[in-house]
Amino acid sequence: MKRTVLFLLLLFLLLSGCMFNATPVITDTPAPEPIATPSPAPTPEPTEEEIISAVEQAFLKHYEDELELYAGGSYESAHELAMSVKLFVALQNELKQSGERAYAKALLDCGGLSGGIMFELPTWKLLASLLYRLSGNEAKAALINNCALTTTITQEGVFTTVTMSGLDTITSALPREAAYGVRLSLYYLNTIYDEAGEEIPYEKYVFEEGYLSTLTDPLPKARIKDGWYNSRDKGVRKHTGTDIRSPEDTPILSCSDGEVTFIGSNEGAGNYVVVRDDYGFEYHYYHMVRLTDFISVGDRVSLGDVVGNVGNTGNSDANHLHLGVVSPAYTYINPYDVLKEVRILLKQAA
């Protein structure tokens, strides 16, 4: 019995020593490798060409949107056009102000660039003339196609200049009658209204010394009468020419050397011819008995050449020549003053 107890005690002590003296085995589980998140590719800086394209397209889009608001207007007469003067003044101002806003937003969209835009926008008078004489889409196309943008990028920012083509360039791309109508409207508005849309008094035109001696009388000995600014069409427009009574078919002589720029016919002028002289003045001959077919647009005519014959066509109630004179600045000049001086000079030279 004792031997059995001793054996069990020794066995217990032996087993206990193994347990207390054993070195535990620690297994290190490696941490999982972190999953690398790919860095986003850097956004490439816009090139100069992309910046220029962005700001210019932003302005042109704005320009077209603004014109769309006005292009649907219908102006059936010079009176309706004149009554809408303030509207076109507002349009010209709005094009500039909202254009600046559109440009600033475009710079912001390009990464907050700095810069500015300068305008040489069409005057309200040109806007009115185009929108009066052309359809909405034709007017918009004429304005947008003749709007030139020049953009430069410097250390200070992005700078754009907006300029418009001249009247000759704008109208050269239009159908001939439309071009002629646009020009007539612009001449009239330039003569009657200031830049704010207020009527202005006419001031006698002062020619350079010697110019009047280059001219001749279109209807020698015919009676001339000063009808400048007389009321026409029940007071809705002013008369911007001089009427010279003469028998039907009387030859009309060119007042100057120059180039034939228009030959045509319409409800107002009847059959007409326009000659621009070498100094930039235009001479308009209206109400001819027939459409002139012995000269053509682009031909040169000399002082005293026949350009047509007196008639009673268009807005006319008697055989006469309506003579119109337009300055190089696109304003009407009182032809009575011109003819009176020319006749004095011709008499002195005789």
Side-chain angles (χ1 to χ4, degrees), residues 215-263:
L215 304 178
T216 195
D217 192 333
L219 290 170
K221 299 182 180 180
R223 180 173 174 269
I224 58 174
K225 181 181 178 181
D226 189 2
W228 182 252
Y229 268 29
N230 284 354
S231 174
R232 289 291 188 272
D233 296 338
K234 299 181 180 180
V236 300
R237 66 178 177 89
K238 300 178 187 295
H239 189 233
T240 51
T242 290
D243 293 335
I244 310 173
R245 291 287 188 94
S246 196
E248 182 179 313
D249 224 25
T250 303
I252 300 169
L253 310 181
S254 176
C255 292
S256 64
D257 296 334
E259 179 183 343
V260 178
T261 56
F262 290 96
I263 297 176

Side-chain angles (χ1 to χ4, degrees), residues 38 56 59 82 159 169 205 221 232-233 240 255 263 272 285 346:
E56 291 186 351
F59 173 78
F159 298 94
T169 301
Y205 192 87
K221 299 182 180 180
R232 289 291 188 272
D233 296 338
T240 51
C255 292
I263 297 176
Y272 64 85
Y285 308 94
L346 289 173

Side-chain angles (χ1 to χ4, degrees), residues 43-65:
T43 302
E45 292 291 325
T47 65
E48 285 195 7
E49 291 78 8
E50 289 171 336
I51 293 172
I52 290 172
S53 176
V55 296
E56 291 186 351
Q57 290 304 313
F59 173 78
L60 289 174
K61 177 65 168 62
H62 134 80
Y63 192 48
E64 185 170 8
D65 290 345

Side-chain angles (χ1 to χ4, degrees), residues 133 177 180-181 184 233 237 239-240 243 252 262-274 283-292 309-324 332:
R133 295 289 186 171
E177 276 300 315
Y180 185 59
L184 290 185
D233 296 338
R237 66 178 177 89
H239 189 233
T240 51
D243 293 335
I252 300 169
F262 290 96
I263 297 176
S265 183
N266 61 42
E267 292 182 359
N271 300 317
Y272 64 85
V273 170
V274 179
Y283 291 84
H284 294 233
Y285 308 94
Y286 293 175
H287 308 308
M288 295 177 176
V289 67
R290 67 185 70 88
L291 193 65
T292 300
N309 300 79
V310 172
N312 184 28
T313 58
N315 187 6
S316 169
D317 56 11
N319 289 308
H320 73 287
L321 165 67
H322 169 105
L323 178 67
Y332 282 114

